[in-house]
Amino acid sequence: MQPYLVVVLCIISSSKADINNKYFPESFQFGAAGAAYQIEGGWNEDGKGESIWDHFLHYNNPTSKVIDGTNGDVACDSYHNWQEDVDNLKKLGVKLYRLSISWTRILPDGTPYQVNQEGIDYYVNLFKALKQNGIEPVVTLYHWDLPQHLSDFGGFLNPQLADYFAAYARICFENFGPYVKYWMTINEPTSTCGMGYSMGLYAPGYTLIDGGMYQCAYVTLLAHAKAWHVYNDEFRAQQGGKVALGLVCSAQMPLDPNNPKDQEAAERSHLMGCASFGNPVFVGNWPQVMIDRIAAKSKEANYPFTRLPVFTQEEIDLIKGTSDFLPLNYYSSSLVEYIDELVGFPPNAWFDISVVTSANKSWPQAASPWLTSYPEGLRIILNRLNKDYNPSEFIITENGWSDTGELDDQGRITYIQAHMSAILDSILEDGVNVTGYTVWSLMDSFEWTAGYTEKFGLIKVDFDDPQRTRTWKSSAKYYQNVIATRCLLNQCE
Ligand code: GBH
């Protein structure tokens, strides 16, 4: 045997030895996840209106926005193949299926003026089928596919969007509430505000680098809070579900753990990232360091006001306490290095934070450039959020690994096994109440700017086949076995 092979095998077996060999608690629920634009297709069928992603990818040169020039017009065609999706979920043995509702399937122009019954029927049929198979839907109201009409109104830059969103949420609660116990209002606002309104890489494609992201964050928080209050005031007593904002967070660790400057930079990176949405919802208001730094940087750049919208006390109170659980998306973590303050014009969020982040070179690299594997980071961030926010319950609503689509996807197995192990450590050793896990993703799907080049699915979808044939990968079989045995290894104790 080649010496390097021996080394590789030792690494694999020693890492397996770190896998938690206890059983998952009886109450823990395994699941899988996906999102409307990424899987449904049927983009203009049965009365569905145009979303910003439809618009973004129909009216621009496709390869300028998405690496392979593709879009979600058909995707996995789950609009037609949903029964097969339910069959696969049932076969896997999951108890949770996280999906999102396409706003423009329900309200074609986004306004409550006209409700599209065919859109309502699609989801009701899906929810009924899930329930009949003992699967609880975890429903995201907004996974990035804003109605184009509302984007023309200013989208997440216009505070009135919060009222439109609350009206849409009410219609969803009315029609789907009887089937749904877990609602997520908005998925990963850090991603959609940053990529959509500041970097311009996601729809609607704005490059408002000085303040688009903050205005979007402000409107997002108002929209989320108003939807939560609609549920709380009008539906909770009868429906008894939970509503929360979906966060994406990771461990921000000092590059040099002993360097106080790196420690401070790492803390700042956490507070101006994950906590920029976590604090308003769980604590009230933006983190103070964010308020102070953006005010100072705005002043330096000759703004006679701060670029971070200032909440009124009434708004702080409206938003605070509006999360009934903590849906957490976790993929990878960062090492954070202190640097001198970045200055330049125009000012922007990057300069406002002024840190450099990187991945440790020893962390395995996925097909997505931004994704490396550091399972311990999940445990670290869970502990942090548990301490700061003390939510009644965590669900890991996204976690997964991308490759180029191989059926024998050992990399995905290694990643999800290690991350589920970290979750088990958190539950059993740290006393963190994680009640569920919905792996990203059930099937290969449209991966935004990466098109169909990065595959996250447990199940392969043949995008060249009009039938969009689904094929189980090795990871699906592994996950099926974990669910059946509630154990990550061949044997548990
Ligand atoms: C998730 O975001 C999304 O919620 C989900 O829809 C998606 O399918 C999944 O990731 C996998 O991609 O283009 O280099 O600037 C995870 C957090 C934030 C990761 C935005 C990618 C853009 C990186 N994402 N980020 S880059």
Side-chain angles (χ1 to χ4, degrees):
M1 195 179 275
Q2 298 293 322
Y4 75 87
L5 248 184
V6 176
V7 173
V8 168
L9 289 175
C10 286
I11 292 172
I12 291 174
S13 58
S14 78
S15 67
K16 293 273 189 225
D18 295 335
I19 299 299
N20 194 313
N21 68 349
K22 300 285 185 308
Y23 289 101
F24 275 88
E26 278 307 313
S27 56
F28 189 86
Q29 296 188 302
F30 295 96
Y37 186 73
Q38 296 180 266
I39 66 165
E40 281 181 6
W43 79 275
N44 62 354
E45 280 185 57
D46 298 338
K48 179 182 168 296
E50 186 188 40
S51 79
I52 54 173
W53 275 92
D54 296 323
H55 193 89
F56 193 54
L57 301 183
H58 289 161
Y59 293 93
N60 285 298
N61 170 5
T63 47
S64 73
K65 302 297 169 195
V66 172
I67 234 172
D68 57 2
T70 58
N71 60 38
D73 285 1
V74 181
C76 307
D77 203 13
S78 286
Y79 187 63
H80 299 106
N81 296 331
W82 60 272
Q83 270 155 324
E84 197 181 345
D85 296 345
V86 175
D87 290 345
N88 275 319
L89 290 159
K90 187 183 176 190
K91 232 169 96 188
L92 280 169
V94 298
K95 285 279 173 281
L96 299 176
Y97 179 42
R98 177 174 176 229
L99 65 130
S100 80
I101 293 177
S102 159
W103 190 337
T104 56
R105 221 180 264 300
I106 307 297
L107 306 175
D109 68 358
T111 74
Y113 169 67
Q114 188 204 349
V115 179
N116 180 32
Q117 191 56 42
E118 286 172 282
I120 302 275
D121 294 346
Y122 172 68
Y123 293 106
V124 166
N125 290 335
L126 177 55
F127 294 144
K128 281 188 177 159
L130 290 169
K131 295 291 248 195
Q132 274 158 14
N133 288 292
I135 301 165
E136 198 68 57
V138 177
V139 180
T140 314
L141 290 172
Y142 183 70
H143 200 123
W144 308 356
D145 44 359
L146 189 70
Q148 179 60 34
H149 175 75
L150 296 183
S151 191
D152 294 340
F153 255 100
F156 281 93
L157 303 177
N158 177 358
Q160 200 178 36
L161 184 76
D163 296 313
Y164 286 102
F165 182 70
Y168 158 60
R170 177 182 289 105
I171 289 164
C172 290
F173 298 148
E174 266 163 12
N175 285 281
F176 310 132
Y179 311 102
V180 181
K181 288 291 162 271
Y182 290 106
W183 293 97
M184 291 168 65
T185 53
I186 295 170
N187 177 64
E188 285 189 8
T190 33
S191 305
T192 173
C193 288
M195 300 287 283
Y197 289 87
S198 176
M199 296 170 71
L201 295 172
Y202 289 178
Y206 297 158
T207 46
L208 306 169
I209 62 168
D210 57 335
M213 186 166 129
Y214 301 136
Q215 181 65 17
C216 172
Y218 170 71
V219 175
T220 294
L221 284 160
L222 290 177
H224 156 76
K226 286 193 176 181
W228 185 90
H229 284 284
V230 166
Y231 192 82
N232 198 51
D233 298 346
E234 303 171 31
F235 298 93
R236 185 186 300 282
Q238 209 192 327
Q239 297 181 353
K242 293 189 171 194
V243 184
L245 179 66
L247 302 182
V248 58
C249 300
S250 58
Q252 301 292 303
M253 299 173 295
L255 179 66
D256 173 354
N258 300 314
N259 179 343
K261 288 192 154 181
D262 286 355
Q263 291 167 4
E264 182 274 329
E267 179 61 9
R268 199 194 314 156
S269 182
H270 170 78
L271 289 172
M272 294 179 74
C274 170
S276 66
F277 289 95
N279 276 32
V281 165
F282 286 100
V283 181
N285 210 350
W286 314 106
Q288 194 60 44
V289 66
M290 183 176 180
I291 295 174
D292 294 345
R293 286 183 65 91
I294 297 170
K297 298 272 182 185
S298 300
K299 199 168 167 206
E300 276 168 26
N302 301 327
Y303 285 58
F305 55 89
T306 176
R307 292 173 292 115
L308 181 67
V310 178
F311 286 121
T312 63
Q313 188 57 48
E314 206 182 321
E315 289 169 338
I316 291 174
D317 296 340
L318 180 85
I319 296 164
K320 185 179 166 178
T322 56
S323 223
D324 303 320
F325 67 110
L326 203 160
L328 178 67
N329 296 355
Y330 175 89
Y331 286 90
S332 48
S333 287
S334 298
L335 299 175
V336 185
E337 183 183 4
Y338 176 91
I339 49 166
D340 291 338
E341 295 293 336
L342 293 165
V343 283
F345 299 96
N348 59 65
W350 174 251
F351 290 172
D352 290 338
I353 302 185
S354 284
V355 297
V356 169
T357 60
S358 59
N360 188 315
K361 291 200 172 46
S362 72
W363 298 342
Q365 175 69 53
S368 314
W370 51 273
L371 176 50
T372 55
S373 176
Y374 182 61
E376 184 64 16
L378 175 51
R379 190 172 170 189
I380 294 172
I381 189 66
L382 275 170
N383 267 322
R384 173 72 191 262
L385 297 176
N386 196 44
K387 176 168 77 63
D388 288 356
Y389 302 148
N390 192 29
S392 64
E393 163 182 17
F394 283 94
I395 296 180
I396 305 304
T397 39
E398 280 184 37
N399 174 247
W401 183 252
S402 61
D403 56 25
T404 49
E406 49 270 31
L407 280 178
D408 188 21
D409 54 341
Q410 294 299 322
R412 178 165 299 102
I413 293 178
T414 304
Y415 179 94
I416 64 175
Q417 181 188 47
H419 285 78
M420 288 190 284
S421 177
I423 292 170
L424 204 43
D425 292 345
S426 298
I427 298 171
L428 300 178
E429 288 166 39
D430 306 336
V432 179
N433 189 30
V434 186
T435 60
Y437 175 80
T438 54
V439 64
W440 190 271
S441 50
L442 174 65
M443 359 171 223
D444 295 340
S445 65
F446 178 75
E447 279 295 338
W448 312 112
T449 55
Y452 298 98
T453 64
E454 294 170 8
K455 317 285 192 188
F456 278 85
L458 301 180
I459 296 173
K460 174 192 157 100
V461 176
D462 183 349
F463 294 103
D464 296 325
D465 175 355
Q467 304 302 315
R468 295 298 190 271
T469 311
R470 280 100 159 113
T471 309
W472 278 37
K473 302 181 192 176
S474 300
S475 61
K477 294 169 201 157
Y478 170 73
Y479 196 47
Q480 180 187 42
N481 188 58
V482 169
I483 297 171
T485 59
R486 310 190 75 76
C487 169
L488 297 170
L489 298 159
N490 289 332
Q491 224 180 332
C492 278
E493 53 189 43

